[in-house]
Amino acid sequence: MDGRIHSVTLDKERCTGCSNCLMRCPTEAIRVRRGRAHIIDERCIDCGECIRVCSNHAKIALTEPLSSVFAYRHRIALPAPALYGQYRNLPSISLVIEGLIRLGFSDVVEVALGADIVTRAIKEKLKEKGLPKPMISSACPTITRLIQLRFPDLIEHIIDVRQPMEVAASLARKQYAQKHSVSEDEIGIFFISPCAAKATAIHNPLGHSLSQVNGIIAIRDIYGPLLQAMDGLKVGEKETRATRYGIGWAKSGGEAKAVGSIKRLAVDGMEDVISVLEEIENGRLRDIEFFEGAACRGGCVGGPLTFENKFIARNTVKCLGEKLPVTHPDEVIHLEQLPPIPLHFEEDLKPNDSLKLHPSISGAIERMERMQEILSILPGYDCGSCGSPTCRSFAEDIVRGYCTQNDCIFLLRDRLKVMAQEMIDISQTKREHSNDN
Amino acid sequence: MIQAKYTVVRGDYARAGEASADIKRTLKQLGVDSSTLRRIAVASYESELNMVIHSLGGTLTLVIDNDRVKLTSNDLGPGIFDVNEAMQEGYSTADDIARNYGFGAGMGLPNMRRNADKFAIYSMVPDGTTIEMEFNIG
Ligand SMILES: Nc1ncnc2c1ncn2[C@@H]1O[C@H](COP(=O)(O)OP(=O)(O)OP(=O)(O)O)[C@@H](O)[C@H]1O
Ligand code: SF4
Ligand code: SF4
Ligand SMILES: [Mg+2]
């Protein structure tokens, strides 16, 4: 697993070095140096916040264009349930499915169906005895990466069930290959994604080594073509195979509702998720069994690569779900009857050590002592003009050797004052000398 | 040696937990192992919150050297009348506001003692309460 491959990157041409993104990054992964933003790759968790706030559109997510699907003889679309929320007054999910076929996909397997299966697997997991409390959902890859980086001691709380996207992809590949008697590697599987985090998750899967997804298409990019493709379509027979619960995963709280434990908690938005993780760490949430955290406000309908306003999208998804029967995954998904597809992690999640100051504690203490010395002479304004998000991170950057004290304009100003005074002093000494003559 | 001192304000629920959050952040930057970190997290949070809820305010001091973390809470009063009683699991005098925030199980002090490798509490009415805790690291 290589933490350096990730989806959010900078378009250098467009970045003006304005620093808008600098303070908004929840992991302090951004620096502005020599008039341009940089992302410290190991620390980026692909939350997409910098994509949202950049007014120059210089922060981008690496996803595939729609045309890339034609590199495969057989192409399966995996729409995230958040896609359904993008079309106001959508009468039925069948239109989206038929529309995707019109766009050139050979088949469509809904990620909401994956979510139904994952719901069952999570419910089974929660029955195990002696689990730490609360168990934490692994559905949002940004939150999983946040925990690896900032809350490594909570890794054991993460539920070791794969993401709905992966489960849907495994199922799609197996069933399609069987039904059409084609080889599994002739099939290209494309996830239609609300976020960059899922794009990273296919290059860099969490809890297993290989992804079953071949490419990611941003909801934003497919929105227009799909709208056209749906034009004139009538509500058809290709109805959704998912339950209303699986579809509800697009909204924050949807997963917790599907899992159905009474002692559950769902929180959306980075700041609030972070404060709940702090509480879990402090041992103050032991009476909760299941915690669902979504990086995006509103859940995946609020993902950075979506098109529609998140509140409207949320409502659309809700209405579509309510049209379906009140069937729970428990009634229709029987894990033992599924084809053999992997549902669980095959490797442990590892902590991301890139916030550590040094591999050894004594080395790290030494560095922190120097940081504290530097911090004591910094003004503490957290102004960002040095290019680091806070004075503390600036002190850290100096100790790590990435910049010098002169990058702080306040320290520089003080030094200039001293130098200017010295110049005056020197010039006056000269005059005194000349007076002596 | 690393030192940090945090001021804890009586009744300030909005900022309660910030000192502990900063302490945890420091320990993670140093690479303190997960189980020790969790023990320190619980102890520092409980002592910080006790000062917010039960005391007139005080300070939380962190000292780290190569093999141990020392946490000291020191408040300005009113002190604990019977320390032995306060150390019992389930003993609490928390008011309605505190209970509303989910405190008042009477588990804070016992949890501090359980999680620390060394624990000492001194209290005088009305001068205040001092708790010293040590954790072995590295
Ligand atoms: N710093 C303090 N100053 C004065 N009294 C205190 C202080 N810390 C604890 N106490 C007293 O000791 C009692 C027990 O404290 P403890 O932390 O064990 O439980 P609690 O704070 O009441 O509930 P919990 O910590 O479980 O939310 C408190 O109810 C309070 O009466
Ligand atoms: S995507 Fe999020 S974590 Fe990554 S650089 Fe942008 S704001 Fe920071
Ligand atoms: S909440 Fe959903 S859309 Fe947002 S980062 Fe997490 S998985 Fe992606
Ligand atoms: Mg307490």
Side-chain angles (χ1 to χ4, degrees), chain B residues 36-59:
Chain B
T36 312
L37 182 111
R38 285 294 283 277
R39 289 195 289 124
I40 303 176
V42 169
S44 86
Y45 184 78
E46 293 296 343
S47 64
E48 180 182 359
L49 265 292
N50 271 2
M51 283 197 281
V52 172
I53 298 169
H54 306 294
S55 87
L56 301 172
T59 55

Side-chain angles (χ1 to χ4, degrees), chain A residues 96-373:
Chain A
V96 171
I97 298 174
E98 303 251 11
L100 288 168
I101 301 281
R102 273 198 180 177
L103 281 178
F105 286 100
S106 335
D107 199 2
V108 176
V109 175
E110 294 169 83
V111 173
L113 177 63
D116 281 338
I117 299 170
V118 171
T119 299
R120 288 290 310 123
I122 294 175
K123 287 189 76 170
E124 288 305 311
K125 175 79 194 180
L126 291 177
K127 285 181 192 159
E128 282 176 24
K129 295 268 174 302
L131 296 173
K133 281 189 180 177
M135 289 303 279
I136 301 175
S137 158
S138 58
C140 174
T142 291
I143 300 304
T144 303
R145 290 188 199 285
L146 173 74
I147 292 172
Q148 289 176 296
L149 183 72
R150 281 189 54 179
F151 299 92
D153 48 301
L154 296 183
I155 287 178
E156 59 175 25
H157 291 245
I158 298 175
I159 295 175
D160 62 348
V161 175
R162 297 188 186 202
Q163 290 168 29
M165 166 183 88
E166 285 297 338
V167 170
S170 300
L171 187 70
R173 195 179 294 279
K174 270 251 146 38
Q175 290 187 334
Y176 189 95
Q178 228 160 44
K179 188 169 162 201
H180 301 274
S181 309
V182 298
S183 139
E184 289 196 3
D185 42 68
E186 283 179 283
I187 307 168
I189 298 187
F190 292 85
F191 176 60
I192 299 170
S193 177
C195 69
K198 300 275 193 193
T200 302
I202 75 165
H203 299 297
N204 222 340
L206 292 159
H208 53 105
S209 51
L210 268 182
S211 173
Q212 284 296 323
V213 181
N214 301 95
I216 297 278
I217 295 166
I219 285 184
R220 248 187 216 170
D221 294 339
I222 208 169
Y223 175 83
L226 181 57
L227 185 66
Q228 277 180 351
M230 290 194 295
D231 189 39
L233 277 177
K234 296 213 171 56
V235 176
E237 79 276 20
K238 279 197 159 44
E239 224 349 311
T240 175
R241 287 163 67 196
T243 70
R244 53 158 70 190
Y245 291 92
I247 289 162
W249 274 54
K251 307 171 288 164
S252 68
E255 180 188 354
K257 188 171 179 190
V259 169
S261 138
I262 332 161
K263 294 167 187 160
R264 63 194 182 207
L265 176 67
V267 172
D268 52 323
M270 275 308 239
E271 256 174 64
D272 289 326
V273 171
I274 288 171
S275 78
V276 170
L277 294 175
E278 296 275 5
E279 293 245 337
I280 296 175
E281 220 170 34
N282 297 338
R284 274 281 164 182
L285 282 177
R286 291 208 183 100
D287 49 342
I288 298 211
E289 259 174 56
F290 177 76
F291 171 60
E292 169 200 329
C296 301
R297 288 247 173 257
C300 297
V301 287
L305 305 183
T306 57
F307 179 85
E308 176 63 287
N309 169 294
K310 58 176 167 284
F311 298 102
I312 297 172
R314 203 182 154 87
N315 200 43
T316 306
V317 169
K318 182 170 158 266
C319 294
L320 285 167
E322 282 168 358
K323 287 185 188 164
L324 297 174
V326 196
T327 310
H328 191 272
D330 286 352
E331 301 161 59
V332 284
I333 305 283
H334 305 286
L335 294 180
E336 63 292 346
Q337 290 170 14
L338 290 174
I341 50 168
L343 298 178
H344 296 91
F345 291 179
E346 63 193 10
E347 51 194 52
D348 289 340
L349 294 170
K350 297 202 178 53
N352 174 346
D353 285 340
S354 57
L355 296 179
K356 274 193 198 171
L357 290 172
H358 193 271
S360 78
I361 290 197
S362 55
I365 289 181
E366 227 169 85
R367 285 192 159 180
M368 189 165 289
E369 284 165 353
R370 285 189 15 236
M371 262 174 71
Q372 287 197 331
E373 266 166 45

Side-chain angles (χ1 to χ4, degrees), chain A residues 421-437:
Chain A
Q421 188 57 50
E422 280 170 3
M423 302 266 265
I424 293 171
D425 292 349
I426 291 169
S427 65
Q428 281 175 348
T429 352
K430 277 208 180 117
R431 220 176 34 228
E432 278 162 25
H433 279 299
S434 42
N435 286 350
D436 285 348
N437 287 345

